[in-house]
Amino acid sequence: NKDFPESKILVAHKSSDSPPQLRQDQQNVFDEDLQKKIEENERLHMQFFEADEQHKQIETELRKRLAVLERETSEHQAVVNSLTQKYTETVEKLQNDKAKLEVKSQALEREAKDCRLRTEECQEQLKTLHTDLSSKLADCTGIIQEKIPFNDTKCCHLSGLNVLPHNRRRQLKARDIAGQALAFLQDLVASLLNFHTYMEQRVQIFPIDSAIDTISPLNQKFSQHLHENAVYVRPLEEGMSHLFESITEDTVTILETAVQLKEFSDHLTSYTCFLNKILPYQLKSLEEECESSTCTSALMSKNMELHKDFKQMTVMFKKVQTYISLLALPSTRPEVLPPSNFSAVFTQLAAAFHGLHDVMKDLSKHYSQKSTLEQELPTATEKLRTTNECILSSVVALTSVTGKIATYFSNNLDFFTASASSGTKEGVRALNPLTAECMLQYKKKAASFVKSLKKPCPESVPYKEALANRRILLSSTESREGLAQQVLQSQEKITKLEQEKEHWMLEAQLAKIKLEKENQRIADLESQLQGALSGQTVLSDVTLELIPSGSKTVDRREDPATGELRDTVRSASLIGMVTFSNAETSDESLEGLIKNHYMGRIAELTTQLQIADSKSVHFYAECRALVKRLNLAEKSREVLTEDLKLANQNISRLQDELSTTKRSYEDQLSMMSDHLCSMNETLSKQKEEIDTLKMSAKGTVKKNKSR
């Protein structure tokens, strides 16, 4: 550009001297330069426009980022504020808890110190008391050992003179245990009856069926003996029931006084003899089964095992019978079995019951195997299978009941050995029935003496019953029944009193009527005679006097049957109307009609009165119920008022929180508006700078164009 004027001068100097061709070249050079300048200006304008658009785009992006960052900043600030408040509240709460725990720990430390002091004091007191009691115990022991003048434990006949106390609790337990024994024995009796009965049926059908052929004489005799089993088995239950009935609360049950045990022992002895009687037949019958042609070797071995089992069963029953016979001796011959041997006998009896249970288990197992083998025989009939199943079920029942008896006896062995005979601190001694009777007499005297000391309490309502009655009265629904009963009773009383009152009023009125009738009869004789002479029947004035003036009417009508004239009188009073005729109304009938009418009217009025009373009582109960409901409504209203107050307090608290939140939001909005104002100012400054840049760019463009 600097060379541009010089070129013009040179051109001007040369223009005058140069030829036209040179002028044309110069013009071309100027045009090319101008074209280059124009293109350069266009390129600058394009760059400026692109820079301006890029600046605007960057500005919008920055504005968007600024808005997002401001929103995130506000959210983060709100979260930070809430967390700060939460942490502040947590710290305050922890500090309060720490203070409370410190106070509590201090209180516990003080209590621990007090407890230590008390423990030390108690230990000292315990030591002193232990030493005092030890010294007193030693003194009392020495006095008891040295100063007791009489001790008769060496002479049993002298100890028999002592009267022992009556133990009611032991008697009740003894009766309970006897009841259990009776139940077990009933099961045992039923099982034994079934066993012997089904065994008899088996003998009749195996190995030879009696319906087809004659059985052997041995089995016939065996069947006859088995048929008599009930004669020996059932008395066992009767003997035990008699023993159970003899044990009562007012008796002393020990071996010396258990007289009924002897009866049971005799019945058990007879049953044991029955078992001994049928045992040979049982064994021979098994041997006969082994000799039959259908008997296999396995079946024969099972028969031999049953052979041993039946022997053992009889032996165990004999052992049980022996020990029970020993226990029955003290009631008849107390000198034979001393009391010191009672516990040994009970122990051996428990062992015998366990042995019987083991034998019955073996018998059940072996007979089950035998019946299984017999069912496989080709000659086995359905009758034999059924009989074997019945025998097996009875044997299983015997096993179960003997196991229960053994367990029961083992569990109560301590009680049997402790209560077998009366005991004292000096030792065990016998108690004869006379002493027991004396004990019971003293017990009755003591009971009567204590009963005489007990004075009857005055009749009063217990406190719990009174509270219950009060609750019932307070509740209208519950008290309605009681009130209804009271109303019915009151109505009955009122009815009776009203009837009596009206009865006596009627009696007085009738007596007054009779008096007036007698007074008027003398004065009215002439009128009655005139009426009789004239052939007219006149109603007696006496009856007319009963009807007040102005309330009586007389109707004279002809009777269609007889043609006679009859006068009908209607009497109206406050309680009703009475109609009667002169032909049928004598004095007595008139009084009866009046009385019946008044009694009916009184009953009707009494009924109406009772209905009114019942309605009034019902209304009174309803009013009480409404009053209670009103009280409940008042209480609920008070509760609702308290709830309303709490709700109002919550509303006011929420309003305060809302106002606080509004203020915080307003502060934040003001801060945002200030921030936006500052941003606007910044943008305006940037816009001014851009405008100045644009103006400077335009000036340069114009200068370039002018060049």
Side-chain angles (χ1 to χ4, degrees):
N1 293 329
K2 292 179 181 180
D3 297 334
F4 185 68
E6 294 179 356
S7 64
K8 283 185 177 182
I9 294 169
L10 290 173
V11 171
H13 283 290
K14 290 179 180 181
S15 61
S16 60
D17 297 331
S18 64
Q21 184 65 33
L22 181 60
R23 191 178 295 113
Q24 183 67 32
D25 293 334
Q26 289 178 354
Q27 185 67 33
N28 291 332
V29 171
F30 287 151
D31 291 338
E32 288 176 3
D33 291 337
L34 182 60
Q35 184 67 32
K36 290 179 181 179
K37 295 296 181 180
I38 290 170
E39 289 177 358
E40 186 178 358
N41 286 332
E42 185 178 359
R43 183 174 55 80
L44 290 173
H45 278 292
M46 290 295 291
Q47 289 178 358
F48 180 77
F49 179 75
E50 289 175 359
D52 190 12
E53 290 294 330
Q54 188 176 2
H55 181 269
K56 287 182 180 179
Q57 186 176 0
I58 292 170
E59 184 181 357
T60 54
E61 289 178 358
L62 290 174
R63 285 179 185 276
K64 290 179 181 178
R65 286 183 64 188
L66 180 62
V68 172
L69 291 172
E70 287 177 352
R71 186 170 62 255
E72 291 178 355
T73 304
S74 62
E75 291 176 357
H76 288 308
Q77 188 64 32
V79 172
V80 168
N81 292 333
S82 62
L83 290 174
T84 305
Q85 185 178 1
K86 183 177 179 181
Y87 292 152
T88 306
E89 292 177 354
T90 306
V91 169
E92 292 178 354
K93 184 178 179 182
L94 291 174
Q95 288 177 354
N96 293 330
D97 293 341
K98 181 181 177 182
K100 291 179 181 178
L101 290 173
E102 288 177 354
V103 173
K104 190 174 182 181
S105 64
Q106 292 175 1
L108 291 173
E109 288 177 357
R110 288 195 297 271
E111 290 180 359
K113 290 179 181 179
D114 295 338
C115 291
R116 290 193 195 96
L117 295 174
R118 291 177 184 174
T119 304
E120 293 176 357
E121 293 177 358
C122 291
Q123 287 179 353
E124 292 177 357
Q125 292 179 1
L126 181 62
K127 290 179 181 178
T128 55
L129 289 173
H130 186 268
T131 54
D132 293 340
L133 291 175
S134 299
S135 61
K136 289 181 180 179
L137 179 62
D139 296 339
C140 293
T141 305
I143 291 172
I144 290 171
Q145 292 177 353
E146 296 174 1
K147 302 298 181 181
I148 292 179
F150 182 72
N151 190 355
D152 57 357
T153 56
K154 293 182 179 180
C155 302
C156 295
H157 62 280
L158 295 177
S159 298
L161 297 175
N162 295 337
V163 179
L164 298 177
H166 181 266
N167 194 342
R168 177 176 173 272
R169 185 177 299 175
R170 190 183 68 81
Q171 282 298 118
L172 294 176
K173 187 174 182 181
R175 182 171 177 81
D176 184 24
I177 290 174
Q180 296 178 18
L182 177 60
F184 290 141
L185 190 68
Q186 288 174 349
D187 296 339
L188 179 65
V189 167
S191 301
L192 288 173
L193 288 172
N194 293 333
F195 175 70
H196 293 310
T197 303
Y198 294 136
M199 190 60 70
E200 179 188 358
Q201 294 179 7
R202 176 184 168 80
V203 170
Q204 293 288 337
I205 63 176
F206 191 80
I208 300 173
D209 193 352
S210 61
I212 300 174
D213 196 359
T214 305
I215 62 176
S216 63
L218 175 69
N219 284 336
Q220 290 180 0
K221 195 69 174 176
F222 185 32
S223 176
Q224 292 176 3
H225 289 316
L226 287 174
H227 190 70
E228 300 172 355
N229 67 88
V231 179
Y232 301 98
V233 176
R234 292 193 183 278
L236 294 174
E237 182 179 354
E238 296 177 0
M240 182 55 72
S241 63
H242 292 162
L243 178 61
F244 172 70
E245 292 171 358
S246 66
I247 302 173
T248 60
E249 182 182 347
D250 297 329
T251 58
V252 181
T253 303
I254 55 176
L255 292 179
E256 290 86 348
T257 59
V259 182
Q260 300 296 332
L261 185 60
K262 177 64 176 173
E263 180 184 354
F264 175 72
S265 174
D266 295 338
H267 294 319
L268 185 59
T269 303
S270 63
Y271 177 69
T272 307
C273 294
F274 169 72
L275 290 179
N276 288 326
K277 182 172 65 174
I278 66 173
L279 180 61
Y281 297 99
Q282 182 82 50
L283 301 180
K284 290 292 183 180
S285 177
L286 289 173
E287 293 174 359
E288 184 177 343
E289 290 181 10
C290 293
E291 293 173 357
S292 64
S293 59
T294 57
C295 183
T296 62
S297 59
L299 188 58
M300 188 180 297
S301 64
K302 296 303 173 186
N303 286 333
M304 291 298 102
E305 290 175 354
L306 287 175
H307 194 281
K308 296 178 183 178
D309 292 337
F310 281 120
K311 284 184 179 179
Q312 288 295 323
M313 185 181 75
T314 306
V315 170
M316 295 311 299
F317 267 106
K318 180 64 177 176
K319 188 180 291 187
V320 170
Q321 180 268 330
T322 302
Y323 289 124
I324 291 178
S325 300
L326 287 175
L327 293 177
L329 286 176
S331 61
T332 55
R333 299 169 61 189
E335 68 279 357
V336 176
L337 184 65
S340 58
N341 295 334
F342 289 171
S343 60
V345 175
F346 277 111
T347 305
Q348 293 298 325
L349 181 59
F353 278 124
H354 282 286
L356 179 61
H357 175 56
D358 295 337
V359 170
M360 295 310 300
K361 285 196 294 186
D362 294 338
L363 180 63
S364 175
K365 181 179 69 174
H366 295 154
Y367 202 90
S368 175
Q369 296 171 355
K370 172 183 168 63
S371 63
T372 304
L373 293 173
E374 285 182 350
Q375 288 179 2
E376 297 175 356
L377 293 176
T379 58
T381 60
E382 187 65 28
K383 189 185 297 184
L384 177 62
R385 294 190 182 95
T386 306
T387 306
N388 283 338
E389 290 177 359
C390 294
I391 294 174
L392 185 59
S393 64
S394 62
V395 172
V396 170
L398 280 173
T399 305
S400 175
V401 72
T402 51
K404 291 179 181 179
I405 292 173
T407 305
Y408 150 81
F409 212 85
S410 298
N411 293 336
N412 297 298
L413 185 60
D414 295 336
F415 177 79
F416 289 140
T417 55
S419 62
S421 179
S422 60
T424 62
K425 295 180 181 179
E426 295 84 6
V428 180
R429 61 180 177 82
L431 178 68
N432 53 33
L434 294 177
T435 308
E437 186 178 356
C438 182
M439 181 195 300
L440 294 177
Q441 290 179 359
Y442 282 119
K443 174 184 174 295
K444 292 179 181 179
K445 289 182 180 180
S448 61
F449 176 71
V450 172
K451 187 176 180 180
S452 65
L453 292 178
K454 291 182 179 179
K455 295 181 180 179
C457 297
E459 295 182 359
S460 62
V461 179
Y463 181 68
K464 292 182 179 179
E465 186 177 354
L467 289 177
N469 292 335
R470 183 175 180 275
R471 293 192 195 98
I472 292 172
L473 290 174
L474 289 177
S475 176
S476 61
T477 56
E478 294 178 358
S479 62
R480 186 173 297 173
E481 296 179 357
L483 292 173
Q485 292 179 358
Q486 293 180 5
V487 167
L488 291 175
Q489 294 176 0
S490 302
Q491 287 178 353
E492 291 175 359
K493 292 180 181 179
I494 291 170
T495 303
K496 292 179 181 179
L497 293 174
E498 289 290 339
Q499 289 178 357
E500 291 178 0
K501 177 183 175 182
E502 296 298 331
H503 172 72
W504 291 112
M505 289 179 66
L506 285 173
E507 291 293 334
Q509 194 172 7
L510 290 173
K512 185 177 180 180
I513 291 171
K514 287 181 181 180
L515 179 62
E516 291 178 357
K517 181 180 67 176
E518 293 296 330
N519 291 331
Q520 292 292 333
R521 184 177 295 176
I522 297 172
D524 296 338
L525 284 175
E526 292 180 358
S527 61
Q528 291 178 359
L529 288 173
Q530 290 177 0
L533 291 174
S534 63
Q536 296 177 353
T537 304
V538 181
L539 183 66
S540 177
D541 292 333
V542 177
T543 60
L544 294 176
E545 288 295 331
L546 294 174
I547 305 170
S549 61
S551 63
K552 59 184 178 180
T553 58
V554 179
D555 295 335
R556 178 167 295 178
R557 298 178 183 177
E558 184 177 356
D559 190 356
T562 59
E564 297 179 355
L565 293 175
R566 291 187 178 181
D567 293 336
T568 303
V569 181
R570 291 186 178 87
S571 175
S573 63
L574 292 175
I575 61 172
M577 179 182 290
V578 182
T579 303
F580 50 89
S581 62
N582 63 338
E584 298 175 355
T585 56
S586 61
D587 294 341
E588 291 78 6
S589 62
L590 180 62
E591 291 176 2
L593 287 173
I594 294 172
K595 184 175 181 181
N596 292 333
H597 173 71
Y598 284 163
M599 289 297 290
R601 187 62 178 165
I602 288 165
E604 183 180 356
L605 293 175
T606 304
T607 305
Q608 294 177 0
L609 180 61
Q610 290 176 356
I611 293 171
D613 289 340
S614 63
K615 288 182 179 180
S616 63
V617 170
H618 176 69
F619 291 150
Y620 175 70
E622 290 292 333
C623 290
R624 287 188 63 184
L626 292 173
V627 168
K628 290 178 181 178
R629 290 180 183 176
L630 180 61
N631 294 331
L632 293 174
E634 289 291 335
K635 291 180 181 179
S636 63
R637 185 178 65 80
E638 292 176 358
V639 173
L640 292 174
T641 305
E642 294 294 332
D643 295 339
L644 182 61
K645 288 180 181 179
L646 293 174
N648 291 328
Q649 291 176 0
N650 293 328
I651 290 169
S652 61
R653 180 174 57 80
L654 292 173
Q655 287 178 351
D656 294 338
E657 292 179 356
L658 181 61
S659 61
T660 305
T661 307
K662 281 183 178 180
R663 284 197 299 271
S664 64
Y665 285 163
E666 288 174 356
D667 295 338
Q668 292 177 4
L669 288 173
S670 62
M671 291 173 63
M672 290 294 293
S673 60
D674 294 339
H675 182 66
L676 288 173
C677 290
S678 63
M679 291 296 295
N680 289 327
E681 290 176 357
T682 306
L683 290 172
S684 62
K685 288 179 181 180
Q686 290 178 356
K687 191 174 182 181
E688 288 176 356
E689 291 176 356
I690 291 168
D691 291 337
T692 55
L693 290 172
K694 285 181 179 181
M695 292 299 291
S696 62
K698 286 181 180 180
T700 55
V701 170
K702 287 180 179 179
K703 287 178 180 180
N704 291 328
K705 286 181 178 180
S706 64
R707 287 177 185 179

